[in-house]
mmCIF file of all heavy atoms in Angstrom:
data_model
loop_
_atom_site.group_PDB
_atom_site.id
_atom_site.type_symbol
_atom_site.label_atom_id
_atom_site.label_comp_id
_atom_site.label_asym_id
_atom_site.label_seq_id
_atom_site.Cartn_x
_atom_site.Cartn_y
_atom_site.Cartn_z
ATOM 1 N N THR A 116 109.259 29.436 85.592
ATOM 2 C CA THR A 116 109.120 28.006 85.667
ATOM 3 C C THR A 116 110.084 27.264 84.783
ATOM 4 O O THR A 116 110.520 27.745 83.755
ATOM 5 C CB THR A 116 107.639 27.657 85.269
ATOM 6 O OG1 THR A 116 107.447 26.248 85.286
ATOM 7 C CG2 THR A 116 107.307 28.168 83.895
ATOM 8 N N GLY A 117 110.364 26.019 85.196
ATOM 9 C CA GLY A 117 111.110 25.110 84.320
ATOM 10 C C GLY A 117 110.356 24.494 83.226
ATOM 11 O O GLY A 117 110.833 23.733 82.463
ATOM 12 N N LYS A 118 109.040 24.791 83.071
ATOM 13 C CA LYS A 118 108.224 24.345 82.013
ATOM 14 C C LYS A 118 108.629 24.978 80.697
ATOM 15 O O LYS A 118 109.248 26.007 80.633
ATOM 16 C CB LYS A 118 106.726 24.721 82.282
ATOM 17 C CG LYS A 118 105.984 23.813 83.258
ATOM 18 C CD LYS A 118 104.544 24.193 83.338
ATOM 19 C CE LYS A 118 103.780 23.261 84.149
ATOM 20 N NZ LYS A 118 103.767 21.928 83.664
ATOM 21 N N SER A 119 108.219 24.303 79.672
ATOM 22 C CA SER A 119 108.410 24.905 78.323
ATOM 23 C C SER A 119 107.286 25.966 78.135
ATOM 24 O O SER A 119 106.291 25.955 78.849
ATOM 25 C CB SER A 119 108.284 23.852 77.212
ATOM 26 O OG SER A 119 106.948 23.298 77.155
ATOM 27 N N LYS A 120 107.481 26.800 77.106
ATOM 28 C CA LYS A 120 106.418 27.791 76.744
ATOM 29 C C LYS A 120 105.125 27.022 76.411
ATOM 30 O O LYS A 120 104.032 27.452 76.791
ATOM 31 C CB LYS A 120 106.863 28.686 75.649
ATOM 32 C CG LYS A 120 105.877 29.747 75.238
ATOM 33 C CD LYS A 120 106.367 30.657 74.148
ATOM 34 C CE LYS A 120 105.428 31.762 73.860
ATOM 35 N NZ LYS A 120 103.987 31.338 73.497
ATOM 36 N N ARG A 121 105.281 26.006 75.570
ATOM 37 C CA ARG A 121 104.098 25.242 75.179
ATOM 38 C C ARG A 121 103.393 24.682 76.412
ATOM 39 O O ARG A 121 102.111 24.764 76.521
ATOM 40 C CB ARG A 121 104.430 24.124 74.222
ATOM 41 C CG ARG A 121 103.228 23.345 73.701
ATOM 42 C CD ARG A 121 103.635 22.299 72.687
ATOM 43 N NE ARG A 121 104.251 21.188 73.340
ATOM 44 C CZ ARG A 121 104.401 19.971 72.641
ATOM 45 N NH1 ARG A 121 104.126 19.802 71.399
ATOM 46 N NH2 ARG A 121 104.974 19.017 73.237
ATOM 47 N N GLY A 122 104.105 24.056 77.349
ATOM 48 C CA GLY A 122 103.474 23.543 78.528
ATOM 49 C C GLY A 122 102.830 24.598 79.449
ATOM 50 O O GLY A 122 101.682 24.317 79.931
ATOM 51 N N LEU A 123 103.491 25.710 79.633
ATOM 52 C CA LEU A 123 102.996 26.795 80.456
ATOM 53 C C LEU A 123 101.684 27.388 79.768
ATOM 54 O O LEU A 123 100.648 27.569 80.436
ATOM 55 C CB LEU A 123 103.925 27.900 80.710
ATOM 56 C CG LEU A 123 103.419 29.042 81.536
ATOM 57 C CD1 LEU A 123 103.020 28.605 82.960
ATOM 58 C CD2 LEU A 123 104.476 30.107 81.674
ATOM 59 N N ASP A 124 101.753 27.665 78.538
ATOM 60 C CA ASP A 124 100.575 28.143 77.775
ATOM 61 C C ASP A 124 99.352 27.211 77.886
ATOM 62 O O ASP A 124 98.203 27.653 78.095
ATOM 63 C CB ASP A 124 100.916 28.358 76.300
ATOM 64 C CG ASP A 124 101.927 29.501 76.077
ATOM 65 O OD1 ASP A 124 102.166 30.275 76.996
ATOM 66 O OD2 ASP A 124 102.345 29.692 74.933
ATOM 67 N N ALA A 125 99.640 25.905 77.770
ATOM 68 C CA ALA A 125 98.511 24.961 77.928
ATOM 69 C C ALA A 125 97.906 24.946 79.280
ATOM 70 O O ALA A 125 96.619 24.907 79.507
ATOM 71 C CB ALA A 125 98.958 23.540 77.529
ATOM 72 N N LEU A 126 98.702 25.086 80.317
ATOM 73 C CA LEU A 126 98.248 25.091 81.710
ATOM 74 C C LEU A 126 97.465 26.334 81.963
ATOM 75 O O LEU A 126 96.440 26.273 82.591
ATOM 76 C CB LEU A 126 99.438 24.933 82.712
ATOM 77 C CG LEU A 126 99.024 24.729 84.116
ATOM 78 C CD1 LEU A 126 98.505 23.367 84.222
ATOM 79 C CD2 LEU A 126 100.327 24.851 85.001
ATOM 80 N N ILE A 127 97.975 27.477 81.523
ATOM 81 C CA ILE A 127 97.322 28.786 81.727
ATOM 82 C C ILE A 127 95.906 28.767 81.101
ATOM 83 O O ILE A 127 94.969 29.165 81.685
ATOM 84 C CB ILE A 127 98.204 29.924 81.280
ATOM 85 C CG1 ILE A 127 99.332 30.146 82.305
ATOM 86 C CG2 ILE A 127 97.363 31.202 81.067
ATOM 87 C CD1 ILE A 127 100.317 31.242 81.912
#
Side-chain angles (χ1 to χ4, degrees):
T116 176
K118 282 185 173 300
S119 67
K120 182 180 185 301
R121 184 177 74 166
L123 179 62
D124 289 351
L126 189 70
I127 284 176

